Amino acid sequence: MTTTTTGTTTGGTAVRAVGTAHSRVEGRDKVTGAARYAAEIPFTELAYGWLVLSTVTRGRISSVEDAPVLAMPGVLAVLHHGNAPRVDIDYVGMLGMRPDPTVAVFQHDRVPHAGWPVALVVAETSEQAREAAEALVVHYEEEPHDVAFSAGHADAYSMPGPAGPGVTGKGDLEAQLAASSFVLDAEYSTPEEHHNPMEPHAATAHWDGGRLEVVDSNQGTIWVAAELASLFSLDPASVHVRSEHVGGGFGSKGVRAHQVAAVMAATVLSRPVRVAMTRRQMFSLAGYRSPTTQRVRLGVDAAGRLLALEHSCLSLTSTVHEFIESGAGPARVMYDAPAHHTANRVVRLDVPSPTFMRAPGEAPGSFALESALDELAEKSGIDPIELRVRNEPEVGPVSGLPFSSRNLTACFREGARRFGWADRDPRPGLRREGRWLLGTGTAAASFFAGAAPSTAAATAEADGTFTVRINAADIGTGARTALTLVAADALQVPTDRVRVRIGDSDFGPAMIAGGSMGTRSWAWAVTAAAEELRERMALSDGIPPEGITVRSDTTAAVGALAQKERHSFGAQFAEVAVDVATGEVRVRRMLGIFAAGKIVNPLTARGQFTGGMIWGISMALHEEAVRDRNTGALYGADLAGYHVASNADVPLVEADWVDDPDPDDPVGIKGIGEIGIVGAAAAIANAVWHATGVRHRQLPIRPDRVIRADAHA
Ligand code: MOS
């Protein structure tokens, strides 16, 4: 390539890569196997750690019989509470939360739940480590446990969470319900659900010249680096975490037991140690979505305007960590009423700690709220879309703040047109095709659209290419590709002259891939750096051999954003076929129309939306982790026992979007990572009601539930 100077970035028409479909820049590497995931990166002198998890649910470790295991072939060490390095968990982490003590492995003899890490066996090979780990005998003093989650648990308490305060309330609920023309009062439940990304959690740690080097699979290297520094009382600058390719995260890939165990073993053995979770271990170590029980009460006047709204959600957490699944969150954004009350409550049980899982709060909360709206539409004889349109709020129902943009009605109008909603007979149980009863349903979706401070660096190289460095994480979303398009446009060059490097904590602070905030936050920093680089290049006389580098930091700009309700919105549509004799439910088609800001890369964005919607099918019909009350452990903790939607379950799923400009926002992007699952399960459940005339308020809608419900109908 010829050396070019400032002339290449000026004088032409804008390239505008943003908004055009672009296959993943690392796609070829991924499909040819050239892209290496965390557990595939070679190290010399690598040793392998295998975690040993508790087989009891509550109690104390009375002894670890490590001597026989240490004599086994290749075994280098057995770490446990009696000999492991000490860590400090008395700090508040990156997300403003104390770390889940599951990461503080081998610090004491207490076992707070089944599948708690009790030892790490390290050996020369993975096979030797596994064999020795399975041979390790651990003795426990068992104590009685309580893993039974149910509505009305006596120990429930409210706490704040990602959706704000634990409890919100205004107006006299009982009075408004009494004044309502139609009232709905129903309880809904969702089961324990697991995210289990295809690539299991894996980390390799080693010390290199006084610096802790960790190669990992995570949603934010700065997050993991900062927490490891706190845990091991290290200078943050002496911890370096890399995570180049990530095979899925969904909220599960933060700091976890595997990284901490790997660092401990690397410290003790003074050589690189890799710890990867097995699929089964992920069911207690990777976090999961709490089950919920939810009660929704709604009252409308004769014109279908809400007078009363109450949504309360109970979830569980472990005895060692507080995490709340804020199912009542969506009600704080979606609908207003003179009497409006929401509550998120939690109960502590002897179970593993739940965590963020795609659309935390919104996914189960929208199932209850959007099912309830559909039930209210049925009771009041108002079309479900019309009922929602009549209840579009002017301002945030709880915050009172204006919406930055709210194009929910546009989503419903466009979705209704394309789905053929106008031809729908609202009466249930009328359409039949052979053994199948057919029905259609709809539901609304929303998800918080935030931005967080990030830093980026953009370099004009002497060869005419550009390198952007930002500590982003591409967890399979296409973020690296999206940022390439954003950078190319900001630099006004074709995308093939831009290289985006991500997943390295040495690149400086940046938002994690979480909260649907990654691409928006990173794009802001990349745009700022790229624009300033263009200005610098315009003033410079050629590019020196080391290039020209400009750094950005969006802390001030993000902090200056006006306080508003900022959300993506969407309308979900589903058609189902139900065989009430066998209980089989087949989703026949789905359509999601979203208002989610500027869409950077339509190809990967469509995959994000439809991926979420397909997860909604899975949530509606398949996913359910069942905990044995006697043992306190899960039945079938693997992907054979834990059912997820597979190809044969997934019909034509279409996603599209409407224009959704945000005038205040320089990047105009909203998050799209999570909204696809929101409302999807409700749309399916509402379609099942339309097909059969029977409401399913308990997920998943299993064949046995369909059969039993039909028998009672
Ligand atoms: Mo997402 S559940 O914030 O990774």
Side-chain angles (χ1 to χ4, degrees), residues 219 250-251 356-360 513-515 674:
Q219 293 179 228
F250 311 115
F356 304 98
M357 173 164 150
R358 200 177 199 174
E674 295 171 89

Side-chain angles (χ1 to χ4, degrees), residues 95 195 219 223 249-253 289 323 355-360 447 475 511-517 673-674:
L95 298 180
H195 20 21
Q219 293 179 228
W223 182 18
F250 311 115
S252 75
K253 283 186 176 162
R289 191 187 318 279
F323 180 88
T355 192
F356 304 98
M357 173 164 150
R358 200 177 199 174
F447 199 82
I475 60 175
M511 179 56 188
I512 63 165
S516 295
M517 290 162 68
E674 295 171 89

